[in-house]
Amino acid sequence: MEHSPRAQELLTALCAAFPGLRPLEEGDLPLVFALYQRNTFYNSVALEAPPTLESCREDLAALPPGRDRRHKLFLGLFQGEGLAAVLDLVEGYPGEGTLYIGLLELEVQFHRQGLGTRLLRALKTAAQKAGFSSLRLGCYERNAPGLAFWNAMGFEKEGEVLREGRALYKMRLSL
């Protein structure tokens, strides 16, 4: 897969910081599915139905308006034989200087162990070096642990929308 120059710069920096990080492919989807299945709390607040292999395939391909495959990084962090985290990034959404975090989902055993914080710090550094001016994401109001994490990382609420009947906070971090 060929990425845009900025997405490639971001990928190179993140892989240097986390040697087990790499783009996920179709063949990795059973591991993604297993990780998703074990995150029952997140599933209960963010999804209408339990995850499926098809919903994982949709995540691999999902893009916001105006972006194409070369702007997306759907990454997996492998530790040992297992998948420890999934990170979905989209360059230039909703604006050119923005890096959008579509998903950061950790294997349950890594919750509250500092892995998410280390990943986000590396992402902030890599995004700044690649010329991004902000990070943006959406976090469901009912996801109290997620909101606490993003707030602790410096993200601020900049709006709210309803998605499938659930309040989703739009959050931003200036770099």
Side-chain angles (χ1 to χ4, degrees):
M1 172 72 203
E2 188 172 320
H3 300 290
S4 73
R6 218 166 33 161
Q8 186 60 52
E9 182 179 350
L10 193 62
L11 177 60
T12 300
L14 288 172
C15 289
F18 289 91
L21 189 74
R22 67 168 173 79
L24 291 166
E25 301 169 353
E26 179 79 23
D28 297 312
L29 292 180
L31 296 173
V32 174
F33 177 50
L35 184 148
Y36 283 9
Q37 281 185 304
R38 287 188 285 274
N39 279 306
T40 55
F41 172 77
Y42 179 78
N43 297 338
S44 73
V45 298
L47 305 178
E48 281 192 24
T52 64
L53 196 53
E54 184 55 35
S55 66
C56 296
R57 191 170 285 110
E58 290 168 6
D59 285 354
L60 178 66
L63 288 164
R67 300 286 84 191
D68 61 44
R69 187 73 180 118
R70 63 193 183 97
H71 299 117
K72 180 178 175 95
L73 296 172
F74 194 68
L75 307 173
L77 177 61
F78 291 84
Q79 293 191 343
E81 295 294 312
L83 181 61
V86 174
L87 179 61
D88 183 17
L89 304 170
V90 179
E91 169 198 352
Y93 180 79
E96 190 56 37
T98 301
L99 179 63
Y100 189 82
I101 303 170
L103 179 69
L104 172 58
E105 191 161 348
L106 305 181
E107 178 62 65
V108 174
Q109 72 188 39
F110 294 108
H111 289 188
R112 304 189 61 79
Q113 302 298 311
L115 179 59
T117 299
R118 290 192 311 276
L119 274 168
L120 190 62
R121 285 183 181 149
L123 179 60
K124 285 168 54 176
T125 300
Q128 285 175 314
K129 287 181 182 174
F132 291 98
S133 58
S134 67
L135 300 176
R136 285 199 162 116
L137 58 91
C139 185
Y140 286 99
E141 174 187 43
R142 293 175 40 201
N143 184 358
L147 282 171
F149 172 76
W150 296 117
N151 285 324
M153 294 292 101
F155 282 79
E156 296 178 352
K157 181 180 166 186
E158 65 175 355
E160 181 179 332
V161 295
L162 281 180
R163 182 176 287 166
E164 299 161 350
R166 294 182 302 263
L168 179 73
Y169 293 153
K170 293 180 177 184
M171 301 184 80
R172 181 177 192 275
L173 175 69
S174 294
L175 298 175

